Amino acid sequence: MIQTNTQCYWEQIAQGIGQMVELPWKVYEHSSPTTTMIASAVRRAIAEFGGSIGAVFIDYLQQIPLESGGNMAFEVGKITRQIRDIAKSHKIPVFLGCQINRGNQTTADKRPNRHLLRNSGEIFEVCDQLIMLYRDAVYTKDPSDRTIELIVEKNRLYGKLGTATMLCDLSTSKFLNLAR
């Protein structure tokens, strides 16, 4: 089977995800952390792990409290910029989970897109990459369907857009190469 550059690219992503499973993890639990608390946790983790960490995962944007009762889209954009500043100042990737509106429920294929980001404000403009997840099994109710689609909506760093289909093990939160 001849592989295209795109297939090779997605296999590299799958390998990277597989390697992440083997790395040490540190979890900070807080139901609604402020961006100041997140920055502090990042600094503590960097100190604990000897001067560097591989990445930060924040679950999820809508749990970060807003600073004022003003325009929600503006506030979400402000928080997103603050998170990006943390990433830049420490030179680490930050993965920020975000809820989407239920607008995809009205579309035929149910796949998410950037226009459905909840209170998106400037999320799309600020982020370097936007990857959305889609599991058909959620809608078909097929428990044997273990596939998940990673839909790359924006990729400022590498420019490649598209969809990768992988297997997922939800019991362990692992992503696996799709058997060909």
Side-chain angles (χ1 to χ4, degrees), residues 19-156:
Q19 290 172 354
M20 287 174 56
V21 171
E22 305 302 322
L23 298 174
W25 289 81
K26 178 82 172 179
V27 176
Y28 292 94
E29 291 266 350
H30 195 284
S31 61
S32 55
T34 64
T35 54
T36 303
M37 292 168 70
I38 293 168
S40 177
V42 169
R43 285 190 300 275
R44 284 193 314 272
I46 288 171
E48 182 178 333
F49 286 109
S52 70
I53 58 176
V56 172
F57 295 84
I58 301 171
D59 181 31
Y60 66 99
L61 174 64
Q62 283 78 12
Q63 288 295 98
I64 300 172
L66 303 175
E67 292 183 11
S68 70
N71 180 310
M72 177 122 16
F74 174 79
E75 289 291 323
V76 168
K78 181 178 174 183
I79 290 169
T80 306
R81 287 188 305 279
Q82 290 171 340
I83 297 295
R84 184 172 182 180
D85 289 344
I86 293 168
K88 283 185 165 200
S89 67
H90 296 291
K91 296 181 176 76
I92 54 171
V94 175
F95 297 85
L96 179 59
C98 181
Q99 185 177 4
I100 64 170
N101 290 320
R102 304 254 182 240
N104 71 319
Q105 303 295 321
T106 61
T107 64
D109 70 0
K110 309 287 191 237
R111 283 168 179 73
N113 64 59
R114 66 184 170 131
H115 303 293
L116 298 173
L117 287 174
R118 187 168 179 209
N119 299 316
S120 61
E122 300 174 35
I123 295 171
F124 186 76
E125 290 77 20
V126 171
C127 73
D128 288 326
Q129 295 177 314
L130 177 62
I131 302 172
M132 306 187 99
L133 306 178
Y134 170 76
R135 290 193 58 240
D136 197 51
V138 170
Y139 302 100
T140 63
K141 309 291 187 215
D142 179 1
S144 66
D145 183 357
R146 297 178 41 219
T147 59
I148 188 166
E149 293 180 18
L150 286 77
I151 304 165
V152 180
E153 285 270 325
K154 180 178 181 181
N155 196 347
R156 183 179 293 160

